[in-house]
Amino acid sequence: QKSCGPTTINSLRTARRGLTNVPRRQNLQDITITRTGKPIIRTQGGRSALGGHTVTVFGATGFLGRYIVNRLARQGCTVIVPYREEMAKRHLKLTGDLGRVIFMEYDLRNTPSLEESVRHSDTVYNLIGREYPTKNFDLEDVHVEGVERIAEAVAKYDVDRFIHVSSYNADVNSPSEFFKTKGRGEAVARSIFPETTIVRPAPLFGFEDRLLNKLAGVTNVFTSNSMQERYWPVHAPDVGEALEKMIQDDTTASQTYELYGPKNYSTAEIAELVDREIIKHRRHINLPKAILKPTAGLLNKVLWWPVLSADEVEREFIDQKIDPTAKTFKDLGIEPAELSSLTFHYLQGYRSAAYYDLPPATEREKREEKKYLHVLD
Ligand code: NDP
């Protein structure tokens, strides 16, 4: 049976707004059968909807994680969130109805805990990644060995779909350890589970990003390449939408997607946009690579909070390259947002209170506000 409800409402909305060129929402079936013969039954109903899927999202506690957990949980999918740290996962509980978001403690080196997390699911997302090596995990542990263990668990329990988030520029021959291990992770995932969908996002921007927030922050940003590296920044909620569409469309299995924004920027150009938006000038200090790279490597080892790592310095010298054979947002029917149209939205919190856009309160208003002084206990 075809679900005509959402399509009809959608076309009415489109007609009312007079927007004829807006792509229509995908016409989803109420019932579908997965590759392994499992029936998926979907019913509409807002927060009490039934999404039909049981989905495990590894790395859900990070920046991108919330944009996919939210989308799945609010349409009634059961979302399993493997976590390491109690406090890091709390915000995800609210994204779905009671019982929809299930937390399971796990460790990337503990195979039984990984298997526990995937065995009841029909789709597994892997968003686990780290920009820098940590005390207990180097990049190889996270991006290659971790992926291997997850892919093996996925294959063992014959999970229908495995969607692995890699990175732009993932390449086994890259001079950057991050890109190299991401490239090897892709190969490992495909060799164990050939139907793996690989997603390579460009640098992400959004509320919790490490791009706009870093450039707008008060701490000086040390760079080596005068911020000349170029890439196509992508809006995190767009990547969330793309990840959601992949589970609804089985033709995305075994495909590779490069998800990038519509406009190419250098970091210096973004820093200029940021300065204009926050009405402040942030200083960025350029140091030679021969000095910054070893210093960053050393600081990254001795300090226990995230600082610039040696590999991040190396990545400053690598521009984003687009793989022409990979699919993009266009193949998923998504129009990606452009960075400059959203900088105000994401950066207004960095403006000084002097630019707060409410008229100043009059003396009378101020007096009336303090009419009563309550003493409650
Ligand atoms: P975050 O750094 O915000 O989140 C990373 C996630 O991975 C967290 O949930 C973290 O768990 C988990 N994780 C990291 N190391 C380990 C480990 N050793 N064991 C278990 N879990 C671990 O990443 P984003 O959300 O920004 O990115 C999501 C994915 O997209 C990553 O794979 C990243 O490499 C990739 N990507 C991101 C880009 C960006 O600009 N942000 C650009 C290109 C690719 P915990 O909370 O417990 O630490």
Side-chain angles (χ1 to χ4, degrees):
Q1 193 196 337
K2 280 240 166 130
S3 81
C4 54
T7 315
T8 320
I9 293 168
N10 221 34
S11 49
L12 276 176
R13 277 196 198 128
T14 310
R16 204 168 50 218
R17 281 190 268 139
L19 304 172
T20 44
N21 57 349
V22 172
R24 283 236 305 248
R25 208 164 98 183
Q26 208 179 350
N27 193 5
L28 290 177
Q29 306 284 322
D30 283 347
I31 300 176
T32 48
I33 308 292
T34 67
R35 181 178 61 83
T36 53
K38 192 176 161 193
I40 300 287
I41 301 167
R42 300 186 182 105
T43 58
Q44 303 285 319
R47 222 176 138 77
S48 302
L50 186 66
H53 293 274
T54 305
V55 184
T56 304
V57 185
F58 286 101
T61 51
F63 163 37
L64 181 59
R66 72 200 68 206
Y67 296 103
I68 178 64
V69 172
N70 172 285
R71 284 183 167 274
L72 296 172
R74 76 179 178 198
Q75 55 166 283
C77 293
T78 302
V79 186
I80 299 174
V81 174
Y83 71 96
R84 305 192 288 175
E85 215 273 311
E86 282 285 336
M87 300 297 269
K89 60 161 174 67
R90 299 186 310 164
H91 60 286
L92 298 171
K93 186 77 187 170
L94 308 172
T95 54
D97 210 352
L98 197 62
R100 282 283 174 239
V101 184
I102 298 164
F103 297 109
M104 297 195 63
E105 195 170 354
Y106 85 117
D107 186 278
L108 202 51
R109 291 199 176 103
N110 185 333
T111 308
S113 75
L114 295 173
E115 291 181 356
E116 278 292 305
S117 305
V118 305
R119 61 195 284 189
H120 299 293
S121 299
D122 52 71
T123 306
V124 172
Y125 287 94
N126 177 28
L127 273 54
I128 294 177
R130 248 316 157 251
E131 304 251 297
Y132 48 86
T134 56
K135 190 155 54 88
N136 294 315
F137 293 89
D138 60 23
L139 298 182
E140 173 92 10
D141 294 336
V142 179
H143 299 149
V144 187
E145 284 175 24
V147 175
E148 187 176 354
R149 282 197 200 97
I150 293 174
E152 269 167 2
V154 165
K156 180 171 172 186
Y157 288 96
D158 202 13
V159 174
D160 292 295
R161 298 290 309 276
F162 180 42
I163 299 169
H164 171 63
V165 178
S166 179
S167 170
Y168 67 100
N169 284 356
D171 177 8
V172 287
N173 299 316
S174 175
S176 150
E177 186 68 15
F178 179 86
F179 293 145
K180 196 194 294 180
T181 50
K182 281 285 190 184
R184 292 187 48 207
E186 287 183 1
V188 163
R190 278 266 164 81
S191 67
I192 297 169
F193 192 78
E195 294 89 359
T196 305
T197 304
I198 287 170
V199 180
R200 296 184 189 138
L204 298 161
F205 68 91
F207 273 118
E208 307 83 4
D209 69 11
R210 291 180 292 276
L211 178 63
L212 300 179
N213 286 308
K214 188 169 138 192
L215 294 171
V218 283
T219 47
N220 289 325
V221 178
F222 289 100
T223 63
S224 236
N225 189 22
S226 306
M227 305 203 286
Q228 291 309 306
E229 65 277 18
R230 300 198 73 88
Y231 43 85
W232 283 263
V234 66
H235 194 206
D238 288 342
V239 177
E241 190 183 348
L243 291 174
E244 180 199 15
K245 288 210 167 171
M246 286 173 191
I247 148 178
Q248 294 162 350
D249 181 359
D250 279 346
T251 60
T252 57
S254 322
Q255 305 292 324
T256 302
Y257 286 85
E258 292 237 349
L259 303 181
Y260 51 92
K263 195 170 166 195
N264 184 275
Y265 285 95
S266 70
T267 309
E269 287 165 2
I270 300 176
E272 219 179 288
L273 273 178
V274 168
D275 281 1
R276 209 176 311 147
E277 211 63 85
I278 65 175
I279 325 181
K280 282 174 193 159
H281 179 64
R282 295 292 189 218
R283 278 187 311 140
H284 303 292
I285 299 167
N286 203 64
L287 293 173
K289 187 179 175 187
I291 296 175
L292 190 60
K293 196 173 169 186
T295 315
L298 185 69
L299 286 179
N300 190 236
K301 276 204 181 78
V302 294
L303 298 178
W304 53 93
W305 60 88
V307 286
L308 188 70
S309 70
D311 194 62
E312 281 168 277
V313 178
E314 185 64 53
R315 265 179 273 154
E316 282 181 29
F317 293 85
I318 307 173
D319 290 341
Q320 181 179 0
K321 277 191 219 78
I322 305 289
D323 175 358
T325 60
K327 294 193 167 180
T328 62
F329 276 122
K330 208 170 160 209
D331 299 282
L332 296 164
I334 299 172
E335 183 90 39
E338 212 270 290
L339 175 83
S340 60
S341 63
L342 287 157
T343 43
F344 174 72
H345 181 59
Y346 289 123
L347 292 169
Q348 57 179 323
Y350 284 95
R351 287 186 176 194
S352 149
Y355 299 101
Y356 193 67
D357 59 355
L358 280 182
T362 60
E363 274 310 307
R364 187 164 163 243
E365 275 172 346
K366 277 185 197 158
R367 265 200 316 275
E368 280 184 357
E369 261 174 35
K370 290 185 181 154
K371 206 164 170 184
Y372 301 108
L373 187 67
H374 294 282
V375 180
L376 296 179
D377 13 60

